[in-house]
Amino acid sequence: MARIKSVTPTPQDDLQTVVQSRTREWHFHIYFLLQSPTEKAAALALRDAVLRLRRDGAFVAVPLHSVNEYPIGPHPAGSYEIWVPDSSFSDVFFYLACNRGDLSVLIHPLTKQQRRDHESRNGWLGKPWPIYLDGLPRESEEVPLQYPELRLGWSSAPETEISLDERRERGAKLEALLARDPEAAPAPTD
């Protein structure tokens, strides 16, 4: 019997490559059982709370106007999508982690590779659901922009970007501050 050798990929550590390849927009898909009026009500109450908090300035999160009352696309249940720019990701993630109850939330980046985003670049809050990937394109010409009028995420102005030199300077300052902390691991010197 042939033995299958597992290959562990080498993590990318080139600053420019990592900065240029990061994502800037995310989707949070809140799932609910179609047969459960209680779950649907909980999902819609969570949606309303997100909308109120967005209105009040807690974070930028844009639930789509439509709520899927049946399986659609790769999603096997009732669901709705919340678009989030990278600048609000941690706030929305933490809010949903603390307030989702028993609902499951699929989280994935928004890139040109929609199938990979849903298949291997995803994460879950709660129990994972099986998703149907066959209908998703493997590669698109462009990132599917949402809400460009907000000038956030993929639509942010290039001049608002932090340069690679500024990033290196911030990194050096951080390393210097942490050098005196015995609990913090130092970065390699190579």
Side-chain angles (χ1 to χ4, degrees):
M1 178 184 274
R3 192 167 204 176
I4 298 174
K5 185 177 179 182
S6 159
V7 178
T8 304
T10 303
Q12 180 57 255
D13 64 359
D14 173 67
L15 175 64
Q16 184 171 353
T17 302
V18 169
V19 169
Q20 289 176 345
S21 66
R22 77 190 192 282
T23 191
R24 297 177 182 205
E25 297 181 12
W26 295 84
H27 281 171
F28 291 76
H29 296 274
I30 289 56
Y31 284 8
F32 57 90
L33 282 172
L34 293 167
Q35 304 89 333
S36 173
T38 304
E39 272 198 23
K40 181 179 177 185
L44 295 178
L46 181 61
R47 183 176 183 273
D48 286 347
V50 167
L51 287 165
R52 280 189 205 93
L53 289 164
R54 182 194 69 204
R55 176 199 63 204
D56 295 344
F59 41 64
V60 176
V62 184
L64 289 185
H65 187 69
S66 62
V67 173
N68 301 320
E69 300 279 344
Y70 51 88
I72 188 166
H75 309 292
S79 67
Y80 60 87
E81 169 188 298
I82 301 175
W83 173 89
V84 177
D86 57 347
S87 57
S88 285
F89 179 88
S90 64
D91 293 332
V92 174
F93 180 92
F94 188 71
Y95 176 76
L96 292 175
C98 294
N99 292 279
R100 68 176 178 78
D102 291 332
L103 299 170
S104 292
V105 181
L106 167 64
I107 305 156
H108 68 81
L110 196 59
T111 74
K112 294 178 185 180
Q113 300 169 325
Q114 292 181 48
R115 185 167 177 156
R116 182 183 277 176
D117 294 344
H118 285 78
E119 182 176 36
S120 61
R121 295 176 176 160
N122 66 10
W124 288 89
L125 292 172
K127 183 179 178 184
W129 289 60
I131 54 178
Y132 177 69
L133 299 169
D134 292 351
L136 292 173
R138 291 191 182 276
E139 186 83 31
S140 302
E141 291 290 320
E142 297 179 9
V143 174
L145 293 181
Q146 290 183 281
Y147 314 107
E149 65 274 18
L150 298 178
R151 299 186 54 86
L152 296 168
W154 292 112
S155 302
S156 62
E159 61 271 11
T160 63
E161 273 293 306
I162 300 169
S163 73
L164 293 179
D165 287 338
E166 290 170 313
R167 288 175 184 276
R168 286 184 187 98
E169 187 176 313
R170 285 182 177 183
K173 286 180 182 177
L174 184 59
E175 286 299 308
L177 288 170
L178 292 174
R180 295 182 287 273
D181 188 332
E183 295 293 317
T189 57
D190 60 333

